[in-house]
Amino acid sequence: MILADRILFLFVKRIMRAWIHKKFTSPLLAFIQKGASVSSLSWALALGVVLGLFPIPGTTTLLCLLVALIGGYNVGVMQLVNYLIYPLQLILILPLMALGSSILGLEMNLFSLSAMMDLFQDDFWKALSALWIFQLAGIFAWAIFVLPVSLLLYYVFKLLIKQIAPSS
């Protein structure tokens, strides 16, 4: 049984490696061969991740588009990363709201589903107001991490791209 598990693991690993090469490595190499710099691609990837984690769903596509157009980064790369990071954005919304609320000293009594539902049933406008304040707290927490995480990801992506690019 252990041998069968090992064979299955190696098979899945090989398939995943081929899929990653087809979906990510090859397109990145194609962008480099078309003249995109390693630095520009690294920034597009890093900013796609960081902007994709902005704690208000539905705004990241526009944010990535604006930053790509203003900064001259590859729109397709940024949007692809933005879409791939979407599940992580959803996972991090409440923790960012909680962190921001904690930093700003806001009372965190809305962070259970039942409490939110009760508040929306009792007073819809008060619930929206409270949720908006917590959204702003989440944006505040996100803003604290934007610069250091962007720089870290830029250097990580730059190293990775240099490793996969033949000579750039």
Side-chain angles (χ1 to χ4, degrees):
M1 189 65 172
I2 294 174
L3 181 60
D5 289 342
R6 178 74 175 150
I7 291 171
L8 179 63
F9 172 75
L10 292 174
F11 180 70
V12 170
K13 181 179 174 183
R14 186 177 189 144
I15 290 174
M16 287 302 297
R17 184 173 283 168
W19 184 83
I20 288 170
H21 181 74
K22 180 181 175 185
K23 297 293 183 184
F24 300 104
T25 308
S26 292
L28 284 177
L29 290 173
F31 282 125
I32 291 171
Q33 290 168 350
K34 289 180 183 176
S37 70
V38 171
S39 180
S40 175
L41 278 177
S42 300
W43 275 120
L45 290 166
L47 292 173
V49 169
V50 172
L51 294 174
L53 295 176
F54 189 72
I56 299 180
T59 61
T60 59
T61 299
L62 184 59
L63 277 174
C64 286
L65 178 64
L66 290 174
V67 169
L69 292 176
I70 291 170
Y73 303 114
N74 187 296
V75 176
V77 170
M78 285 187 72
Q79 292 298 352
L80 174 66
V81 173
N82 173 34
Y83 294 143
L84 290 173
I85 207 79
Y86 183 70
L88 186 58
Q89 177 199 26
L90 294 178
I91 291 169
L92 290 177
I93 287 174
L94 286 178
L96 284 171
M97 290 168 74
L99 178 63
S101 297
S102 175
I103 292 170
L104 297 173
L106 300 174
E107 189 176 327
M108 298 179 8
N109 57 357
L110 261 184
F111 289 106
S112 75
L113 186 57
S114 61
M116 270 187 169
M117 288 176 60
D118 290 344
L119 187 58
F120 271 100
Q121 288 174 352
D122 292 343
D123 188 352
F124 180 78
W125 295 111
K126 182 179 177 184
L128 278 183
S129 174
L131 192 59
W132 176 245
I133 290 169
F134 287 119
Q135 284 283 322
L136 289 176
I139 293 170
F140 179 76
W142 172 84
I144 291 171
F145 293 103
V146 167
L147 184 60
V149 171
S150 295
L151 290 172
L152 176 68
L153 288 174
Y154 166 74
Y155 288 110
V156 168
F157 285 131
K158 191 171 182 177
L159 287 173
L160 290 173
I161 292 171
K162 282 184 177 182
Q163 284 182 352
I164 64 169
S167 61
S168 49

